[in-house]
Amino acid sequence: MAGCLRRALAGKSLRLLSQASFHSRGVLESPLNCSFSLKETRKSCITCEASLGVDRRAGSFLLWSSRSYGKGRKSRDEDDEGSVQVVPDIGPSVKSTATSMMDAAILALSKELAKLRTGRASPGILDHIMVDSNGGKVPLSRIAVVSVLDPKSLSVMPYDPDVLKSLESSIVSSPLGLNPMVDGQRLIVAIPPLTKENVQALCKVVTKSSEDVKQSIRRARQKALDSIKKASSTIPKDDVKRLEKEIEEITKKFIKSAEDLCKAKEKEITNS
């Protein structure tokens, strides 16, 4: 063993021993000039390592580990760069919200149109009347059943006969111009024909209701378009255009529904 060490030290470099054992390319690099050939140096070091019990596989393992780590890290970086970011689909929620708002506008329009008196008997014309009951105001529809007797008269049957007088008073004081008559435990409400002036005034009310509901529908559309615009930076342009087109189609459908309701009401008024 001493002889091996002397041969290794004869090259004037103690580093030669460690570099030769861990060098992977077969080229011995040393800052010192070495008089030994690479072949002789390796032979001497191998003999020395065997005597000292040094495992040459340790250097190979370290070298392999460092290379594997570098390759693994590079692969992970490539995977991260090539990964596709999942973007949430806002379309269903935006369309659902817009549809709900437009539905509410159509429902409100239906209720408003039902309140308008025409020459024909309709239970809805009494829905908005408030009646004094138990010290408070309640809608007529909550305390009585309204039904159509014939095209020109209504029947109002209260759940509690004690409120019959309050019902009569509330109907008379309403702006509908109706004069109910007591018939046992119910009221008979005759629907007088409309005058020309009444028809014109009611048609104006219908037109205004139509414009109001259209504005509500358009506001719902604008809110939907604003939501799409806010999310436009995170979704493809094609999806943005598709969503905007779908919102426009939904808007047109609800506006047509509003127009159809108002036209039907105008026809009912003019033909009564």
Side-chain angles (χ1 to χ4, degrees):
M1 182 175 68
C4 291
L5 289 174
R6 283 196 298 272
R7 285 195 299 273
L9 293 174
K12 298 181 182 179
S13 176
L14 187 58
R15 295 181 182 179
L16 190 61
L17 176 61
S18 58
Q19 290 180 355
S21 61
F22 292 104
H23 205 282
S24 60
R25 296 183 180 180
V27 179
L28 186 60
E29 296 176 355
S30 173
L32 303 177
N33 294 326
C34 182
S35 59
F36 287 102
S37 66
L38 179 61
K39 183 176 180 181
E40 291 176 345
T41 304
R42 283 184 175 176
K43 183 176 179 182
S44 300
C45 292
I46 290 172
T47 305
C48 182
E49 288 168 358
S51 301
L52 293 173
V54 177
D55 190 355
R56 290 176 56 85
R57 292 175 295 177
S60 299
F61 172 76
L62 292 174
L63 182 60
W64 175 85
S65 298
S66 63
R67 288 182 174 178
S68 299
Y69 175 78
K71 290 180 179 180
R73 184 171 181 177
K74 182 178 180 182
S75 300
R76 288 194 299 271
D77 292 341
E78 291 175 352
D79 292 340
D80 292 340
E81 292 175 358
S83 61
V84 178
Q85 186 178 6
V86 178
V87 178
D89 186 5
I90 65 167
S93 62
V94 171
K95 290 188 289 185
S96 176
T97 301
T99 301
S100 298
M101 295 176 66
M102 294 178 187
D103 271 330
I106 293 295
L107 180 59
L109 174 65
S110 299
K111 291 181 178 180
E112 287 298 320
L113 295 179
K115 295 177 184 179
L116 300 179
R117 181 176 74 84
T118 65
R120 290 179 175 273
S122 173
I125 66 174
L126 303 179
D127 286 348
H128 68 288
I129 295 177
M130 305 299 290
V131 182
D132 290 322
S133 177
N134 297 324
K137 294 277 189 180
V138 294
L140 183 146
S141 58
R142 290 189 181 180
I143 62 174
V145 177
V146 180
S147 58
V148 177
L149 290 179
D150 57 60
K152 296 294 182 178
S153 59
L154 295 172
S155 169
V156 181
M157 178 69 73
Y159 298 119
D160 183 2
D162 293 338
V163 300
L164 190 64
K165 289 295 182 181
S166 295
L167 277 173
E168 182 183 8
S169 176
S170 298
I171 293 173
V172 170
S173 60
S174 71
L176 297 175
L178 302 175
N179 293 301
M181 296 182 299
V182 179
D183 181 23
Q185 295 184 346
R186 69 175 182 175
L187 296 174
I188 303 298
V189 182
I191 308 298
L194 295 173
T195 63
K196 185 177 180 179
E197 291 76 12
N198 293 145
V199 171
Q200 291 175 350
L202 288 173
C203 286
K204 288 181 180 179
V205 172
V206 172
T207 301
K208 185 178 183 305
S209 297
S210 176
E211 291 302 320
D212 290 344
V213 76
K214 286 179 182 178
Q215 289 296 327
S216 298
I217 292 171
R218 293 188 182 106
R219 283 195 294 270
R221 177 194 62 183
Q222 190 58 49
K223 288 184 179 180
L225 294 178
D226 290 343
S227 298
I228 296 171
K229 185 177 180 180
K230 288 180 181 178
S232 61
S233 61
T234 61
I235 58 178
K237 291 184 179 180
D238 291 342
D239 291 345
V240 171
K241 292 181 179 179
R242 175 180 56 81
L243 279 175
E244 290 176 345
K245 184 178 180 181
E246 290 176 354
I247 293 298
E248 291 294 338
E249 291 174 352
I250 293 172
T251 302
K252 290 179 181 178
K253 182 184 72 173
F254 277 97
I255 286 180
K256 186 178 185 303
S257 297
E259 291 175 344
D260 291 343
L261 283 173
C262 291
K263 286 179 180 179
K265 191 64 179 182
E266 287 181 352
K267 184 178 180 180
E268 181 184 351
I269 293 170
T270 55
N271 293 337
S272 58

